[in-house]
Amino acid sequence: MTHTALEPFSAETLPESADPAAASAAAYAQEVVELLSGLLLELVRERQPEVESVLRGERNAASLSPELLARTLQVQGIWFQLLSIAEQNAAMRRRRQVEIERGYDQLRGTFAQVITGAAASGVPSQEISELLSILRVRPVITAHPTEARRVTVLEKHRRVYRRLVDLESPRWTPRERQALIDGLRNEIELLWTTGELRLVKPTVPQEVFWGLHFFNETLFEAVPDLLEKLERALSHGYPDETFQVPPFFQFGSWVGGDRDGNPFVTNEVTRSTILENRLTALRRYRRRLAELVRALSITERAVPVPESFRMSLAKELAATGEGNEIAARNPGEIFRQYLACMGRRLDVMIAKSEEGRTAPDLAGYPSAEALIADLRAIEEALGFGGSTSLAQTLVRPVRRE
């Protein structure tokens, strides 16, 4: 423990930079660190005032009882976590500032920078297309034994980060800003009072649950966003060319299938793991279809619709056995009708999967490609009616998930 253990960074200790964006980021980082350190010290004074003098280097840690020493170490650990979050927040703020002031293609490592550089260097578009056709990126999820932090703690870290992002906005009144700061303090207090480490070794089903948690929280949305960024970069770098961006970014997983590293992974465990992955995906798609139903309230009287789509809708309605009810519930809103039919098919698959049955069912989807084909049909019908933007911003991300 040093004298500056919880002292905010001073201006003199921050590296000077001729880059205005870097200097601004450093000043912002200092403000955030001062805010976080003040909130944490305030909490220490309320809950464990004996610890503050040790953190400031005014008292020898050897004089503490084991309980107080444990509390001191916990506060120090929370402080390091908060510093890491502040650093991430400042770095992302700097990236946004650079993008605003200099352009997205000036951010190192982005698709925009790489594609713009390739176009400027004379790399032909055909070479880019050939590369995309064979490109495969597949991160692998693993329940790593060294990750001792609980998901609930990671969620609190994420909420601290989101509150810092909210505080960046200059639009808040003093009252509203103080409410945000109070919420930030609450999150730090929850970190203080939450058990940070797993007290027992997790079971394989728990590891599966934790792995799928990150898909539901982040990864389902991140992949369509990634592909969209690449498309925009290609359109900017090669404005006269058309590219097909395949689903090159996919995921693998060791969790529930690692026969070499975990003696508790059996045939039955792997089978149930695959089933849980299936259910997680199906439920996610069902929720996304429900969102599209709420959004696509387009009446057939307002936009032209290709006859092929009407024919497909008629088949879908007939196949549900409840076509009249679906049509009556959404009269004239053919996209809602189509999505309702798709939702019924997913409902069948979810119900069967919950019973442990995964064989193709005529009332469900025989394959992922069939679901994708229905989403493409909606995109094409929207484009035919002049609503290309709606197809690209609402439907295409669901298809790419």
Side-chain angles (χ1 to χ4, degrees):
M1 305 287 180
T2 66
H3 180 70
T4 58
L6 274 177
E7 292 292 336
F9 291 151
S10 64
E12 290 76 20
T13 62
L14 289 171
E16 296 184 0
S17 174
D19 183 350
S24 174
Y28 172 76
Q30 177 180 324
E31 293 177 10
V32 172
V33 167
E34 289 175 351
L35 172 63
L36 293 175
S37 66
L39 293 174
L40 184 56
L41 281 174
E42 178 184 323
L43 185 61
V44 168
R45 294 187 192 107
E46 289 183 9
R47 287 190 165 271
Q48 211 82 59
E50 307 94 329
V51 169
E52 182 179 1
S53 59
V54 181
L55 295 172
R56 292 191 179 279
E58 299 167 356
R59 180 182 178 186
N60 194 325
S63 65
L64 296 179
S65 66
E67 181 182 353
L68 284 178
L69 180 59
R71 277 299 189 187
T72 304
L73 293 173
Q74 181 191 14
V75 173
Q76 193 73 12
I78 292 173
W79 176 236
F80 288 141
Q81 295 164 14
L82 294 176
L83 280 177
S84 177
I85 295 170
E87 180 182 7
Q88 295 171 34
N89 175 234
M92 289 306 300
R93 186 175 185 272
R94 179 182 178 183
R95 286 176 64 88
R96 289 193 296 271
Q97 184 178 352
V98 171
E99 181 176 348
I100 291 171
E101 296 176 355
R102 306 175 191 176
Y104 186 44
D105 58 357
Q106 296 302 307
L107 283 174
R108 294 182 60 186
T110 60
F111 284 133
Q113 186 200 39
V114 172
I115 298 300
T116 299
S121 300
V123 177
S125 60
Q126 181 62 29
E127 185 174 334
I128 301 293
S129 294
E130 292 174 356
L131 177 61
L132 287 175
S133 68
I134 62 172
L135 182 61
R136 294 292 182 274
V137 179
R138 183 171 294 174
V140 177
I141 305 299
T142 179
H144 203 283
T146 61
E147 177 53 86
R149 288 177 297 180
R150 301 167 60 199
V151 168
T152 187
V153 172
L154 297 176
E155 288 175 338
K156 288 175 175 55
H157 290 171
R158 185 180 184 188
R159 290 202 295 271
V160 169
Y161 177 87
R162 291 304 312 170
R163 290 190 181 277
L164 290 178
V165 172
D166 290 340
L167 282 168
E168 291 181 41
S169 174
R171 70 179 184 272
W172 307 117
T173 65
R175 173 184 55 81
E176 292 171 327
R177 180 175 176 80
Q178 186 57 51
L180 289 172
I181 292 175
D182 291 342
L184 182 59
R185 184 195 181 282
N186 289 341
E187 297 297 345
I188 297 174
E189 183 171 3
L190 286 170
L191 276 174
W192 173 291
T193 56
T194 298
E196 295 184 74
L197 304 179
R198 303 167 183 162
L199 298 181
V200 295
K201 184 176 181 179
T203 63
V204 176
Q206 286 174 329
E207 292 177 340
V208 171
F209 170 80
W210 292 331
L212 292 175
H213 165 83
F214 294 104
F215 281 92
N216 284 320
E217 289 295 313
T218 304
L219 298 178
F220 272 124
E221 295 180 4
V223 172
D225 185 55
L226 179 76
L227 300 180
E228 177 67 22
K229 288 178 179 177
L230 176 55
E231 276 196 338
R232 288 182 179 274
L234 290 168
S235 176
H236 178 75
Y238 296 87
D240 299 327
E241 304 293 338
T242 300
F243 294 88
Q244 295 297 325
V245 178
F248 66 87
F249 196 90
Q250 302 170 349
F251 288 93
S253 176
W254 279 106
V255 186
D258 185 2
R259 301 300 179 84
D260 295 330
N262 192 331
F264 298 103
V265 176
T266 62
N267 287 349
E268 185 55 38
V269 166
T270 298
R271 184 179 294 109
S272 63
T273 297
I274 294 173
L275 182 63
E276 194 60 39
N277 276 265
R278 172 189 177 91
L279 277 167
T280 297
L282 290 174
R283 289 166 180 159
R284 168 72 183 193
Y285 302 152
R286 187 64 183 90
R287 289 195 298 271
R288 296 290 274 132
L289 289 188
E291 292 170 5
L292 287 178
V293 168
R294 290 193 294 270
L296 293 179
S297 56
I298 299 173
T299 173
E300 60 183 341
R301 296 184 296 275
V303 296
V305 179
E307 188 60 31
S308 59
F309 185 78
R310 293 183 183 277
M311 294 174 61
S312 296
L313 174 59
K315 292 179 181 178
E316 294 281 353
L317 289 169
T320 65
E322 301 176 3
N324 291 334
E325 292 86 344
I326 293 175
R329 187 164 58 249
N330 303 286
E333 297 174 342
I334 58 175
F335 293 107
R336 279 183 164 174
Q337 294 176 21
Y338 201 99
L339 287 163
C341 294
M342 294 173 63
R344 295 297 178 90
R345 298 178 75 174
L346 285 179
D347 287 339
V348 169
M349 298 180 71
I350 291 171
K352 299 285 186 182
S353 297
E354 288 174 340
E355 297 172 358
R357 294 185 288 166
T358 59
D361 190 297
L362 291 177
Y365 279 104
S367 66
E369 287 71 20
L371 173 60
I372 291 171
D374 273 351
L375 290 167
R376 283 191 184 277
I378 296 176
E379 288 181 69
E380 293 170 1
L382 286 170
F384 181 88
S387 301
T388 302
S389 177
L390 294 179
Q392 292 177 346
T393 58
L394 296 180
V395 184
R396 186 165 61 184
V398 181
R399 170 170 61 81
R400 284 180 162 169
E401 285 187 18

